[in-house]
């Protein structure tokens, strides 16, 4: 009985580089950069990160009693940036952050940033812009906390656990990873967004 050849299998050429390339092309999932399972994991991470940013916006806007007490929300006349920026007590940018604390334009940009990053991550839309905005926010907050400092202005310990990498750095790296992995394509509107004509003409909007 004749043995039918598998049309997807080609004989080895003896060239290691060629054979390795062929193997990677014909392998179904093994060694793939993004498997269906990993795409779902990225989608869950995206949604969780989006909820984190959106919750921060809502709590600061309406004073839900978590980080912002009831009656101190933005809609009540409270400042979402004054408390944090006015208490900056380490690093070379203290005076700059103190002068910015509570300014109307700073409050507006901060809140728009939280809202925009939150919606972008939850929806899976414009993740490149979302990553850029989120990374800028995290960089500013990192500079305000200034992890390299061992002591505050009054001489007390900063209690910094790492001079370079803190949670702001991790948040920024997470958002960047979600953008480059096209995490909005799974359980999000990433594919629909990418098919829009103005997005196809301006790939930086992906």
């Amino acid at each position: 009985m004749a043995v039918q050849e598998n049309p997807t299998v080609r004989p080895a050429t003896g060239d290691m580089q060629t054979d390795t390339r062929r193997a990677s092309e014909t392998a179904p999932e093994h060694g793939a950069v993004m498997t269906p399972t990993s795409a779902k994991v990225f989608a869950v991470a995206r949604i969780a990160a989006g909820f984190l940013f959106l919750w921060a916006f809502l709590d600061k806007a309406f004073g839900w009693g978590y980080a912002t007490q009831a009656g101190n929300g933005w809609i009540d006349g409270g400042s979402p940036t004054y408390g944090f920026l006015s208490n900056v007590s380490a690093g070379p940018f203290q005076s700059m952050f103190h002068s910015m604390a509570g300014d109307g334009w700073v409050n507006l940009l901060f809140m728009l940033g939280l809202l925009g990053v939150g919606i972008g991550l939850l929806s899976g839309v414009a993740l490149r812009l979302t990553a850029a905005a989120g990374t800028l926010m995290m960089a500013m907050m990192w500079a305000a906390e200034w992890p390299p400092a061992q002591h505050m202005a009054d001489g007390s310990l900063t209690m910094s656990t790492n001079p370079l990498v803190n949670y702001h750095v991790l948040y920024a790296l997470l958002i960047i990873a979600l953008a480059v992995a096209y995490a909005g394509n799974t359980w999000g509107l990433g594919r629909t967004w990418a098919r829009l004509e103005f997005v196809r003409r301006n790939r930086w909007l992906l």
Side-chain angles (χ1 to χ4, degrees), residues 28-72:
E29 278 190 26
H30 305 293
V33 174
M34 184 68 73
T35 65
T37 299
S38 59
K40 293 174 183 177
V41 171
F42 268 80
V44 171
R46 171 180 57 78
I47 293 169
F51 180 70
L52 182 74
F53 278 86
L54 189 60
W55 179 271
F57 168 82
L58 294 172
D59 183 59
K60 292 178 183 301
F62 301 106
W64 282 356
Y66 288 87
T68 305
Q69 295 301 311
N72 292 336

Side-chain angles (χ1 to χ4, degrees), residues 26 38 40 43 61 73 81 103 114 127 131 149 160 193:
T26 57
S38 59
K40 293 174 183 177
T81 65
D103 283 356
L114 288 177
L127 288 186
S160 175
W193 174 258

Side-chain angles (χ1 to χ4, degrees), residues 156-176:
S156 60
L157 292 175
T158 62
M159 304 302 292
S160 175
T161 58
N162 190 294
L164 294 177
V165 179
N166 68 355
Y167 62 99
H168 294 119
V169 175
L170 294 180
Y171 287 160
L173 291 175
L174 171 61
I175 301 172
I176 293 171

Side-chain angles (χ1 to χ4, degrees), residues 82-167:
Y82 181 79
F84 178 68
L85 294 181
S86 64
N87 287 311
V88 172
S89 57
F93 306 112
Q94 293 180 62
S95 59
M96 180 188 74
F97 287 122
H98 290 168
S99 66
M100 293 166 55
D103 283 356
W105 67 273
V106 177
N107 290 335
L108 179 62
L109 288 179
F110 178 66
M111 294 298 280
L112 287 177
L114 288 177
L115 179 62
V117 172
I119 292 177
L121 288 172
L122 281 174
S123 65
V125 164
L127 288 186
R128 291 182 182 179
L129 286 177
T130 299
T135 299
L136 178 60
M137 290 184 66
M138 293 301 101
M140 292 291 289
M141 297 177 76
W142 185 93
E145 289 193 2
W146 200 251
Q150 292 181 309
H151 298 88
M152 297 183 179
D154 61 2
S156 60
L157 292 175
T158 62
M159 304 302 292
S160 175
T161 58
N162 190 294
L164 294 177
V165 179
N166 68 355
Y167 62 99

